[in-house]
Coordinates of all heavy atoms in Angstrom, one line a residue:
A1 N 13.9 35.1 16.5 CA 14.2 35.5 17.9 C 15.7 35.4 18.2 O 16.1 35.8 19.3 CB 13.5 34.6 18.9
G2 N 16.5 35.0 17.2 CA 18.0 35.0 17.4 C 18.5 33.8 18.1 O 19.7 33.8 18.6
I3 N 17.7 32.7 18.1 CA 18.2 31.5 18.8 C 19.1 30.7 17.9 O 18.9 30.6 16.7 CB 17.0 30.6 19.1 CG1 16.0 31.4 20.0 CG2 17.5 29.3 19.9 CD1 16.6 31.9 21.3
A4 N 20.2 30.2 18.4 CA 21.3 29.5 17.6 C 20.6 28.2 16.9 O 19.7 27.6 17.4 CB 22.4 29.1 18.4
R5 N 21.2 27.8 15.7 CA 20.6 26.8 15.0 C 20.4 25.5 15.8 O 19.4 24.8 15.7 CB 21.5 26.6 13.7 CG 21.0 25.4 12.8 CD 22.0 25.0 11.8 NE 22.2 26.2 10.8 CZ 21.5 26.3 9.7 NH1 20.6 25.4 9.4 NH2 21.7 27.3 8.9
A6 N 21.4 25.0 16.5 CA 21.4 23.8 17.2 C 20.2 23.8 18.2 O 19.5 22.8 18.3 CB 22.7 23.5 17.9
A7 N 20.1 24.9 19.0 CA 19.1 25.0 19.9 C 17.7 25.2 19.3 O 16.8 24.7 19.9 CB 19.4 26.3 20.8
R8 N 17.6 25.8 18.1 CA 16.4 25.9 17.4 C 15.8 24.6 17.2 O 14.6 24.4 17.4 CB 16.6 26.6 16.1 CG 16.9 28.1 16.2 CD 16.5 28.8 14.9 NE 17.2 28.4 13.7 CZ 18.3 29.0 13.3 NH1 18.9 29.9 13.9 NH2 18.9 28.5 12.1
Q9 N 16.5 23.6 16.6 CA 16.0 22.3 16.3 C 15.5 21.6 17.5 O 14.4 20.9 17.5 CB 16.9 21.5 15.5 CG 17.3 22.1 14.1 CD 16.1 22.2 13.2 OE1 15.6 23.3 12.9 NE2 15.6 21.0 12.8
R10 N 16.3 21.6 18.5 CA 15.9 21.0 19.8 C 14.6 21.5 20.4 O 13.7 20.8 20.8 CB 17.1 21.1 20.8 CG 16.8 20.5 22.2 CD 18.0 20.6 23.1 NE 18.5 21.9 23.1 CZ 18.0 23.0 23.8 NH1 16.9 22.8 24.5 NH2 18.6 24.1 23.8
R11 N 14.6 22.9 20.5 CA 13.4 23.5 21.1 C 12.2 23.4 20.2 O 11.1 23.2 20.8 CB 13.7 25.0 21.4 CG 14.7 25.2 22.6 CD 15.1 26.5 22.8 NE 14.1 27.6 22.9 CZ 14.3 28.8 23.3 NH1 15.6 29.2 23.5 NH2 13.3 29.7 23.4
A12 N 12.4 23.4 18.9 CA 11.2 23.3 18.0 C 10.6 21.8 18.2 O 9.4 21.7 18.3 CB 11.6 23.5 16.6
A13 N 11.5 20.9 18.2 CA 11.0 19.5 18.3 C 10.3 19.2 19.7 O 9.3 18.6 19.8 CB 12.2 18.5 18.2
A14 N 10.9 19.8 20.7 CA 10.3 19.7 22.1 C 8.9 20.3 22.1 O 8.0 19.8 22.7 CB 11.2 20.3 23.1
A15 N 8.8 21.5 21.5 CA 7.5 22.2 21.5 C 6.5 21.5 20.7 O 5.3 21.4 21.2 CB 7.7 23.6 20.9
L16 N 6.8 20.9 19.6 CA 5.8 20.1 18.8 C 5.4 18.9 19.7 O 4.2 18.4 19.6 CB 6.4 19.6 17.5 CG 6.4 20.6 16.3 CD1 7.0 20.0 15.1 CD2 4.9 21.0 16.0
A17 N 6.4 18.3 20.4 CA 6.0 17.1 21.2 C 5.0 17.5 22.3 O 4.0 16.8 22.6 CB 7.2 16.5 21.8
R18 N 5.2 18.7 22.9 CA 4.3 19.1 23.9 C 2.9 19.4 23.5 O 1.9 19.2 24.3 CB 4.9 20.4 24.6 CG 6.1 20.2 25.5 CD 6.4 21.4 26.3 NE 6.7 22.6 25.6 CZ 7.9 23.0 25.3 NH1 8.9 22.2 25.6 NH2 8.2 24.1 24.6
V19 N 2.7 19.7 22.2 CA 1.3 19.9 21.7 C 0.8 18.7 20.9 O -0.2 18.7 20.3 CB 1.3 21.1 20.8 CG1 1.7 22.4 21.5 CG2 2.1 20.9 19.5
G20 N 1.5 17.5 21.1 CA 1.1 16.3 20.5 C 1.3 16.1 19.0 O 0.5 15.3 18.4
L21 N 2.2 16.8 18.4 CA 2.4 16.7 17.0 C 3.8 16.2 16.6 O 4.2 16.5 15.4 CB 2.1 18.1 16.4 CG 0.7 18.6 16.4 CD1 0.6 20.0 15.8 CD2 -0.2 17.7 15.8
A22 N 4.5 15.6 17.5 CA 5.8 15.1 17.1 C 5.8 14.2 15.9 O 6.7 14.2 15.0 CB 6.4 14.3 18.3
H23 N 4.7 13.4 15.7 CA 4.6 12.5 14.6 C 4.3 13.2 13.3 O 4.5 12.6 12.2 CB 3.5 11.5 14.9 CG 2.1 12.1 14.9 ND1 1.8 12.9 16.0 CD2 1.0 12.0 14.2 CE1 0.5 13.3 15.8 NE2 0.1 12.7 14.8
L24 N 4.1 14.5 13.3 CA 3.8 15.2 12.1 C 4.9 16.3 11.8 O 4.7 17.2 11.0 CB 2.4 16.0 12.2 CG 1.2 15.1 12.3 CD1 -0.1 15.9 12.4 CD2 1.1 14.1 11.1
A25 N 6.0 16.2 12.5 CA 7.0 17.2 12.4 C 7.5 17.4 11.0 O 7.8 18.6 10.6 CB 8.3 16.8 13.3

């Protein structure tokens, strides 16, 4: 989607946390 690298990691981690999978990242 063209999101910058730094923002990608932050947004991906936040999304995994929202679905309850932060521990399986």
Side-chain angles (χ1 to χ4, degrees):
I3 305 301
R5 179 187 294 269
R8 289 202 300 265
Q9 294 301 110
R10 174 179 52 78
R11 284 172 58 170
L16 277 179
R18 288 196 295 267
V19 302
L21 293 180
H23 63 296
L24 297 178

